[in-house]
Amino acid sequence: MDPVIVVGAGPVGLALSLALAQQGVPSVLLDETTGREEPRPARTVVLRPDTAHMVDRLGCTTLRDEGVRWTAWRSYRRKQLVRRVELTGPQTPTESATEARSRDVASAASPVSAASAASVVSAPLHLPQDALARGLREAVAGRHLIKLVTGSHVDSLEQDGAGVTVHTRGPGATWWRGSHVVGCDGARSTVRKLLGIRFPGRTAVERHAVATLRAELPWPGEAVLHRRPPWRSGGEEITARPLPDGVWRLDWLLPPQGELVTPDVLVTRVRETLAGWCGETPPYELIDTGVHTVHHRLARDWRVGRAFLAGDAAHLLGALGTQELDEGLRDAENLAWKLAHDWHQGAAEPLLDSYQSERRTAVAARLRAADQALSVRGGALRSRLPGAGRGQATLLADGHLGLGQLGAPPAHPHFPLGPVCAPAQVVLGTALGAQVADVRITAPDGSGARLWDRVGRGRLLVVLVAPGTGVWDRRHWQSAGLMPRLAEAVAALPARAELLVAEAYPGAAAHTVLLVRPDGHLVASFAGVRPEELYAAADAVRGGEPSTASSASSDRTADVN
């Protein structure tokens, strides 16, 4: 049957096709390039715990082989260490942000100097973008539900009530028929232009000179933000972020306009920066250089009928350490389960509309936060920030560390797929619409896993908090207490669902029941088993009854070959 057509085989397009295949949906991935990734060591990406876990779950092996997690984060101002943050292995983003904030408050109230204050935050993952794309392409090669077509440039797009038709030019020019089309084809998106969607925003919000080099710096494994360094070519800010094998990526913030960065100027910056940090310029190997310009843009519409936009085709951001690719991968995860539901079972319009309302709102909030923080960087709001320079350093580090409005994973507190608040609902450590904590769970077959390992499969997750189940044989607790009634309620839900058991969940009492969306966001939490409320919440997640047209075309067989 008609596959989903994904236009653009960058990391977002590759991840979307893999996420669809994981949920039994075939796709045609149209790539206008030759399919070979050109190594560019100066072009790297930083993945937060949620997006790194998503990419790993999709089968990308290069994360472990070619990526590195920082051990700490340092913020300097002139010659002074302002803040140091200890970084740990992967944790849940919600817990990381809360823990970091609480520790910051405690350290600010203590007489101990800010330089010695430490917070604990989950470490992001840093790797070359070509390594990420290569790993995703290797994963795509092993999926029979994905047809990757290189050398295919889209030049025409048509829609009707049953699907979309796309024409490509190139050596194998042809027409492609699909159920939906998703433009993941970058900032100059052809799909966006064919749909007539405006892409307003700001140009050259930030400019950075970039160098990737191999050297020994004073903080092995630690990332550094240095504001107003005391040497001539330091400029306003320098960041240093480690990569494997003693390699570092260095970024110098440049004025928005002007200052041509010649090779000689860049070498001078490298030498003076290394001398400023090490006392003298140590031996170094310059691997790659470049200039990176950040734009802020947001497409007016992310959905037109059966056509959608994702990644750089829908938004551009990246100032103040925020990561554009993180948001693109979140687009893919949010859209994949909704397209999969429509492909398999037919979907109501509110389900497909919710992609734009959720993701566009989240990215717009990120852009607003970045615009507000940009003025802080220049000192205009210094007097309004508690702690003066330290407050600025904390705010400016948020985007790099994945905290606060600049960096924390987005929640959907007013998401259209949420049920109306009912008296039966209870408050947890996770807000409604936010990403669930990655707790240890047990499946009905007795196998153990992490909760995040069960997302991305196109099913709702129903989690019962039942302390003590870990020490009992599942034959005993599966037929005791609330389990039989809850299993019956889960089987009757209007969408596919999986029943899981957790010994504990942050803020949850025993016998709390959580309903989690296929992308890992919390929908509802109830005290005990409440079949009617659980059914109503599950029905809200799918957007209600599917339309007649969707239902008529939902009997599909996933086989693109």
Side-chain angles (χ1 to χ4, degrees):
M1 298 297 293
D2 295 340
V4 173
I5 299 173
V6 179
V7 181
V12 174
L14 292 163
L16 177 59
S17 285
L18 286 165
L20 289 169
Q22 201 169 50
Q23 299 173 56
V25 178
S27 62
V28 171
L29 185 53
L30 301 178
D31 181 7
E32 66 177 0
T33 73
T34 61
R36 295 188 180 90
E37 296 297 329
E38 178 184 355
R40 280 300 312 273
R43 192 177 187 188
T44 65
V45 296
V46 178
L47 301 180
R48 311 301 178 205
D50 62 318
T51 52
H53 188 279
M54 172 196 174
V55 172
D56 183 63
R57 191 180 69 236
L58 294 177
C60 178
T61 60
T62 52
L63 298 186
R64 295 184 292 273
D65 300 335
E66 301 180 49
V68 65
R69 293 187 185 274
W70 310 332
T71 59
W73 170 268
R74 290 173 176 261
S75 294
Y76 285 91
R77 181 180 173 84
R78 300 193 185 280
K79 296 182 179 181
Q80 182 182 4
L81 175 62
V82 176
R83 186 185 183 209
R84 185 175 184 275
V85 182
E86 293 284 350
L87 302 177
T88 68
Q91 300 172 4
T92 61
T94 301
E95 291 175 329
S96 300
T98 303
E99 192 171 4
R101 293 296 181 216
S102 65
R103 287 174 180 264
D104 282 345
V105 170
S107 62
S110 70
V112 180
S113 68
S116 62
S119 301
V120 179
V121 182
S122 184
L125 184 74
H126 189 204
L127 78 163
Q129 182 165 322
D130 61 273
L132 173 64
R134 176 166 29 86
L136 290 170
R137 283 184 181 272
E138 291 171 357
V140 162
R143 297 297 184 100
H144 76 280
L145 289 178
I146 304 174
K147 183 180 181 67
L148 175 61
V149 186
T150 59
S152 298
H153 180 82
V154 172
D155 60 8
S156 177
L157 189 158
E158 300 174 1
Q159 299 191 59
D160 55 50
V164 296
T165 305
V166 168
H167 183 264
T168 56
R169 68 171 186 262
T174 188
W175 289 92
W176 299 92
R177 180 68 177 176
S179 62
H180 304 83
V181 62
V182 185
C184 303
D185 48 343
R188 296 182 175 86
S189 171
T190 299
V191 172
R192 188 184 64 240
K193 293 172 184 176
L194 291 173
L195 295 172
I197 297 174
R198 293 182 58 203
F199 198 39
R202 299 170 58 195
T203 300
V205 176
E206 285 186 350
R207 292 174 63 240
H208 295 265
V210 182
T212 305
L213 53 87
R214 182 176 283 106
E216 290 188 17
L217 297 187
W219 332 276
E222 300 186 16
V224 176
L225 169 66
H226 198 154
R227 302 189 64 224
R228 300 184 180 178
W231 50 86
R232 184 174 57 84
S233 65
E236 278 293 311
E237 282 180 22
I238 307 173
T239 57
R241 293 174 282 189
L243 286 160
D245 303 322
V247 175
W248 295 79
R249 170 173 167 165
L250 273 58
D251 290 64
W252 294 266
L253 179 66
L254 302 173
Q257 304 294 334
E259 188 169 347
L260 180 65
V261 183
T262 64
D264 289 342
V265 168
L266 189 52
V267 168
T268 299
R269 282 182 177 271
V270 169
R271 295 182 62 84
E272 291 188 1
T273 297
L274 295 181
W277 285 338
C278 303
E280 59 181 6
T281 303
Y284 70 91
E285 176 190 354
L286 189 60
I287 300 172
D288 193 18
T289 61
V291 175
H292 174 54
T293 303
V294 176
H295 309 290
H296 279 178
R297 296 189 179 277
L298 187 65
R300 293 289 190 190
D301 298 293
W302 291 29
R303 181 195 178 196
V304 177
R306 291 177 171 269
F308 300 82
L309 299 177
D312 287 0
H315 49 76
L316 295 175
L317 67 158
L320 298 159
T322 57
Q323 294 295 313
E324 170 71 15
L325 184 57
D326 261 340
E327 297 305 326
L329 293 172
R330 288 167 181 150
D331 294 344
E333 181 138 70
N334 186 289
L335 182 58
W337 76 267
K338 296 170 183 178
L339 290 180
H341 187 88
D342 185 44
W343 203 91
H344 287 296
Q345 300 172 269
E349 286 299 302
L351 178 63
L352 298 179
D353 285 341
S354 69
Y355 166 67
Q356 171 172 314
S357 61
E358 291 178 354
R359 288 302 305 146
R360 191 178 188 278
T361 299
V363 174
R366 193 83 81 205
L367 287 169
R368 285 194 298 272
D371 285 343
Q372 293 168 1
L374 281 169
S375 59
V376 175
R377 166 188 271 157
L381 300 182
R382 178 187 175 109
S383 61
R384 304 183 191 179
L385 292 171
R390 183 173 180 275
Q392 292 188 38
T394 299
L395 177 63
L396 296 177
D398 278 354
H400 296 275
L401 294 175
L403 302 175
Q405 291 182 320
L406 283 175
H412 309 302
H414 307 295
F415 59 115
L417 305 179
V420 176
C421 290
Q425 290 214 43
V426 295
V427 177
L428 304 179
T430 302
L432 294 183
Q435 193 173 45
V436 293
D438 189 23
V439 297
R440 193 81 183 168
I441 55 91
T442 302
D445 64 2
S447 62
R450 307 293 302 186
L451 184 52
W452 282 12
D453 293 335
R454 313 303 285 194
V455 305
R457 304 185 182 192
R459 296 190 294 265
L460 297 173
L461 303 177
V462 179
V463 183
L464 171 65
V465 179
T469 51
V471 300
W472 293 95
D473 190 292
R474 91 184 216 333
R475 292 175 297 175
H476 300 298
W477 57 257
Q478 195 173 28
S479 58
L482 302 179
M483 280 297 291
R485 187 169 176 231
L486 182 56
E488 183 180 350
V490 170
L493 293 180
R496 294 182 299 168
E498 181 178 22
L499 176 57
L500 307 169
V501 178
E503 283 208 69
Y505 188 91
H511 303 155
T512 299
V513 175
L514 285 65
L515 180 64
V516 182
R517 296 188 342 180
D519 60 352
H521 289 257
L522 180 65
V523 177
S525 53
F526 302 104
V529 180
R530 297 178 177 269
E532 292 184 5
E533 288 88 343
L534 189 62
Y535 187 100
D539 194 45
V541 170
R542 66 170 184 163
E545 291 285 345
S547 63
T548 304
S550 296
S551 300
S553 60
S554 63
D555 185 16
R556 305 177 189 268
T557 302
D559 185 4
V560 297
N561 296 325

